[in-house]
Amino acid sequence: MNRSLSKFFNLLWKSLLFWSIAMGLFGVFRYYGIGDNDGISSTADFLQIPISNIVLHHVFVGLSIGFLYATIDFVFEKFGPKKLSLGLSLAIKTIIYFFLTIVVFTLVLEMFSALGQINIDNQIGWWRTNKTFWAILLYVVLLSLVFAFIKIAIEKFGKGVFLKMLLGKYKNPKEEKRIFMFLDLKDSTTIAEQLGHFKYSQLIQDCFFDLNKVVPKYDAEIYQYVGDEAVLSWPYKKGLANNNCVSLFFAFQQQKMAKAKYYSKKYGVVPEFKAGLHGGVLMVAEVGIVKKELAYHGDVINTSARIQGECNKHNVHLLISEVLLKDLKIGSVFSSRSLGTVLLKGKHEEIRIHALSNQI
């Protein structure tokens, strides 16, 4: 299945589930037990309908909102401006949500009025004085912000990690088997001197923007950005699947080469990156209080960084440990060249490394 289509359906089912539950609960909160109170006339038409039907009506509204909002989010992420601030992006989406919510409720009222189940004024502009609509709209807007912040948290910590942190899985250190890639800009000092600190920062922004375009396609998690270096990580099996941990590097290279004219015109250089790959067992723990995050501890991280440091010495772009290479199935897509054993800085035992290149 096309990756874009797969991403849309992944976003769609989450949105449908979230909004159908949210609006169903609103129906319960708003109307359950209201028939037991005297003096309420504004909802008289609703009081003639069983609470189960009211909830179903709201679930239908939630499904409609979920579909539209998922479509907006997908289109906005794929075709919208990429460098908007988070606040401006949320503001624009909220305005779009507002008008679409009016459309959804107008259509729903038309449908249920036609079925004779409800009799509410649904003339043009009905929403301006309808208190129920404004209550629902406020509820929808607040939940859309909650949904947006949940997405941001998931993107920050990685798929599945946010829920694990909520449940306190990493309060105590846990052992995990992961693959790490240290990705660093080649000749960074020279480039920084040529461009100056402002343009150099723009270059790094553009490079990491391009990196983020390919990261989701290969199930990678960005662990850290450190200056002009990015540290990526995979659960071991995900990194091996389809050679994700290797394929991402070459996909990133292709992404940059596709924009070679842009980089040359703006910066006078097409940036090149070097990377080191290694995998194994290490510890992961939740650290910090003011700025809470996950931290990985163990030899795997140090070895990955040291392997990347050997790239300049051997004049190659991608180095990988033999331990990890043996678990990959590179087939005819990639070729490997043994560089023998090296004694990495800070280690007592030599490690065998290989250079990888793309055959295609």
Side-chain angles (χ1 to χ4, degrees):
M1 183 184 291
N2 181 277
R3 286 186 181 273
S4 293
L5 195 59
S6 177
K7 184 177 180 180
F8 171 70
F9 281 120
N10 184 49
L11 181 62
L12 179 61
W13 79 260
K14 292 176 182 177
S15 184
L16 291 175
L17 179 64
F18 179 86
W19 285 108
S20 59
I21 293 174
M23 294 309 297
L25 288 174
F26 182 87
V28 175
F29 298 153
R30 178 70 175 85
Y31 298 109
Y32 184 73
I34 202 170
D36 299 330
N37 300 315
D38 295 327
I40 298 177
S41 59
S42 59
T43 56
D45 292 310
F46 282 98
L47 302 184
Q48 299 172 13
I49 306 174
I51 184 64
S52 59
N53 285 5
I54 291 175
V55 172
L56 286 175
H57 294 163
H58 281 76
V59 168
F60 180 80
V61 171
L63 291 172
S64 303
I65 290 175
F67 177 80
L68 289 172
Y69 285 16
T71 303
I72 292 168
D73 286 345
F74 177 75
V75 171
F76 201 88
E77 288 177 13
K78 191 169 181 63
F79 304 106
K82 304 299 182 183
K83 296 186 179 180
L84 286 179
S85 68
L86 178 60
L88 183 58
S89 176
L90 288 176
I92 292 173
K93 287 184 182 180
T94 300
I95 292 171
I96 297 173
Y97 292 161
F98 171 77
F99 289 107
L100 280 179
T101 303
I102 294 174
V103 172
V104 168
F105 273 86
T106 299
L107 293 176
V108 170
L109 290 175
E110 287 283 355
M111 183 178 68
F112 287 127
S113 293
L115 293 174
Q117 293 190 15
I118 194 169
N119 182 26
I120 290 182
D121 178 21
N122 55 359
Q123 299 301 312
I124 295 175
W126 62 270
W127 51 273
R128 293 193 188 99
T129 57
N130 191 295
K131 294 180 180 179
T132 299
F133 167 76
W134 286 104
I136 294 176
L137 181 66
L138 178 61
Y139 179 77
V140 168
V141 168
L142 290 175
L143 280 187
S144 67
L145 291 175
V146 170
F147 189 64
F149 282 115
I150 290 174
K151 280 181 60 184
I152 292 168
I154 291 172
E155 290 171 359
K156 161 70 177 173
F157 295 109
K159 295 178 182 178
V161 177
F162 177 60
L163 180 59
K164 290 175 183 176
M165 288 190 73
L166 282 179
L167 297 175
K169 179 178 179 180
Y170 299 114
K171 281 291 183 182
N172 295 312
K174 300 290 182 183
E175 190 176 74
E176 288 189 1
K177 192 173 185 180
R178 299 186 73 88
I179 296 170
F180 274 84
M181 173 190 284
F182 277 70
L183 187 70
D184 190 34
L185 178 64
K186 190 177 180 181
D187 299 323
S188 57
T189 303
T190 303
I191 295 173
E193 288 177 352
Q194 291 174 349
L195 296 179
H197 64 273
F198 181 74
K199 270 209 137 179
Y200 180 71
S201 292
Q202 287 185 315
L203 172 66
I204 298 302
Q205 277 188 319
D206 280 336
C207 289
F208 288 161
F209 174 76
D210 287 337
L211 176 63
N212 275 263
K213 280 188 173 181
V214 300
V215 161
K217 298 177 184 178
Y218 298 96
D219 287 325
E221 300 169 12
I222 296 179
Y223 171 45
Q224 285 179 337
Y225 295 108
V226 185
D228 50 30
E229 182 177 72
V231 184
L232 290 82
S233 175
W234 293 260
Y236 204 80
K237 289 184 178 180
K238 279 191 176 182
L240 297 181
N242 301 314
N243 297 314
N244 280 332
C245 62
V246 175
S247 299
L248 179 142
F249 178 79
F250 294 107
F252 179 42
Q253 279 192 321
Q254 291 174 359
Q255 177 71 22
K256 288 189 288 85
M257 292 310 298
K259 293 178 62 178
K261 289 183 179 179
Y262 166 81
Y263 281 109
S264 294
K265 182 178 180 180
K266 186 171 182 180
Y267 304 109
V269 63
V270 179
E272 294 185 7
F273 279 76
K274 54 189 177 178
L277 273 167
H278 183 52
V281 176
L282 74 170
M283 303 303 295
V284 55
E286 188 178 309
V287 297
I289 297 174
V290 175
K291 185 180 182 297
K292 196 181 294 293
E293 62 179 31
L294 288 185
Y296 294 95
H297 308 125
D299 184 63
V300 173
I301 292 229
N302 297 329
T303 301
S304 303
R306 302 293 185 235
I307 290 175
Q308 185 268 117
E310 293 286 312
C311 287
N312 284 343
K313 178 180 176 181
H314 296 279
N315 194 28
V316 295
H317 289 96
L318 179 60
L319 287 175
I320 185 172
S321 66
E322 186 171 90
V323 173
L324 177 57
L325 181 62
K326 285 181 177 178
D327 288 338
L328 289 167
K329 298 177 181 178
I330 61 174
S332 59
V333 180
F334 307 107
S335 63
S336 66
R337 176 168 57 93
S338 175
L339 299 178
T341 59
V342 294
L343 183 62
L344 300 176
K345 183 180 178 181
K347 294 186 69 68
H348 299 292
E349 295 182 6
E350 292 185 332
I351 184 172
R352 188 174 293 276
I353 58 174
H354 296 255
L356 284 184
S357 58
N358 198 346
Q359 294 281 72
I360 299 176

